[in-house]
Amino acid sequence: MNPLEDWLEGMQPRLTGLLDFELSEGDAWDYSAASLARLEAEMLSRFVPTPDFLERVSGYLGEALLTAGGGRWAWEPERGLPLVLPDEALALPPICPADLVERALAAADGGEFGRAYRALELAVAERRAAEPGWEPHKEPTPGLDEVPGAMPSAELDTWLAVRRETWAAWLAEYGERPERWDFSVASLDELEALLLRLVSAPEELAARAELSEGAAWYLGEVLRPVLSAHWCYFPGDPDGENMFIGRPFLKQPVPNGRTVVPFVLLKGVLARREPGLLRKVAERLT
């Protein structure tokens, strides 16, 4: 395995170690500028940061910069350090996260990570202005942007395509106030009311295939963008013991890594039958 592959293969355990063992619980570690400010402050608060901690910081910093400016990881063989190569359309030089960490420690002003992040944001904004519709592209990092074991699935592709194509008909059939079905978290009240009206018990949901498939897809599409999650699917018997088998589900990449099976969530709402529960659960997830 070459050094870059080794760096990439170790990214998930590296960031898991950072988030689970090094940083405060309850903060949003979402690769945002705010999270970088907290990370830099934590680093500066340590009298002598360990090499392992600084490597983990470099990994998170690099992933945050890639989230902002797209691009991919590369390797600098002369110094044996990983590099971030922003999206080629930005025409920016490589960024070495380890160098940013070193400069941040030297400056000790708490703003080094933010300056690098904002420079990428500015470059992206200028590119978007010059080419409306353009968005930076980030090459997936194994274990972070891809879901281990969830291989490309023709069944999932077909399911998603059918759900999109039949959505207007589904809404016309079941939605009493179609103007409120706007894929917002608030619109989940409409979905919940619909299910509570038409389905008397959770075990009946699977038998109402057209209703339940459309409902599960809508719930997933409400949650997917706010969770930055991906649709996934493992083929098999949907009525077995493993709730992830045979039902499309959402997987959120590290650092949060939540997994949501919309069909199962709908069954839980039907079991408890508490008005407003679905929206409350969605708000807790997001």
Side-chain angles (χ1 to χ4, degrees):
M1 183 179 293
N2 66 42
L4 177 58
E5 290 175 345
D6 186 58
W7 170 257
L8 292 174
E9 287 297 321
M11 189 63 73
Q12 184 178 26
R14 186 177 297 115
L15 296 195
T16 299
L18 176 70
L19 301 174
D20 288 351
F21 302 110
E22 302 274 13
L23 301 177
S24 301
E25 295 182 3
D27 289 328
W29 298 102
D30 53 3
Y31 303 127
S32 64
S35 75
L36 287 180
R38 291 196 304 272
L39 181 61
E40 189 169 357
E42 173 65 26
M43 182 181 70
L44 293 174
S45 73
R46 302 195 175 198
F47 181 64
V48 181
T50 66
D52 283 347
F53 175 71
L54 294 180
E55 181 182 88
R56 291 169 175 175
V57 169
S58 293
Y60 184 92
L61 173 59
E63 283 296 316
L65 297 177
L66 288 169
T67 300
R72 61 185 176 86
W73 285 101
W75 195 258
E76 182 183 321
E78 293 79 9
R79 295 192 295 163
L81 292 173
L83 301 174
V84 165
L85 303 185
D87 191 302
E88 292 182 358
L90 299 177
L92 295 174
I95 302 169
C96 179
D99 286 347
L100 287 177
V101 167
E102 185 175 339
R103 290 205 297 270
L105 289 169
D109 64 358
E112 193 67 34
F113 295 174
R115 285 189 285 270
Y117 190 93
R118 287 190 294 273
L120 283 173
E121 284 189 316
L122 177 60
V124 168
E126 290 175 347
R127 181 68 184 179
R128 285 172 175 155
E131 185 180 339
W134 178 87
E135 292 293 333
H137 170 71
K138 178 185 185 294
E139 288 194 9
T141 301
L144 302 185
D145 302 312
E146 299 172 338
V147 181
M151 302 302 291
S153 167
E155 292 173 84
L156 177 61
D157 291 343
T158 298
W159 185 82
L160 291 171
V162 169
R163 300 272 57 88
R164 288 191 293 265
E165 291 167 4
T166 60
W167 168 243
W170 189 97
L171 185 58
E173 173 72 18
Y174 297 110
E176 290 189 329
R177 295 181 290 188
E179 70 279 2
R180 299 195 178 189
W181 293 70
D182 58 0
F183 293 88
S184 67
V185 171
S187 74
L188 295 179
D189 287 342
E190 297 294 317
L191 175 60
E192 181 184 75
L194 167 69
L195 291 172
L196 294 178
R197 176 169 52 87
L198 296 180
V199 185
S200 58
E203 57 269 17
E204 296 178 7
L205 188 61
R208 303 285 301 271
E210 186 60 28
L211 170 64
S212 63
E213 295 292 280
W217 175 79
Y218 183 83
L219 174 57
E221 284 299 292
V222 170
L223 296 176
R224 180 179 58 81
V226 293
L227 289 172
S228 298
H230 309 277
W231 280 109
C232 303
Y233 180 79
F234 294 115
D237 180 8
D239 297 318
E241 295 182 357
N242 190 332
M243 68 177 180
F244 298 108
I245 299 297
R247 300 279 185 203
F249 64 94
L250 295 173
K251 174 66 176 177
Q252 187 183 45
V254 172
N256 293 314
R258 295 186 182 93
T259 304
V260 179
V261 185
F263 180 85
V264 174
L265 183 53
L266 294 175
K267 286 186 66 176
V269 168
L270 286 169
R272 294 180 59 177
R273 309 190 76 83
E274 299 174 13
L277 177 62
L278 183 57
R279 177 168 42 83
K280 290 177 183 176
V281 171
E283 288 170 349
R284 285 201 298 268
L285 287 170
T286 57

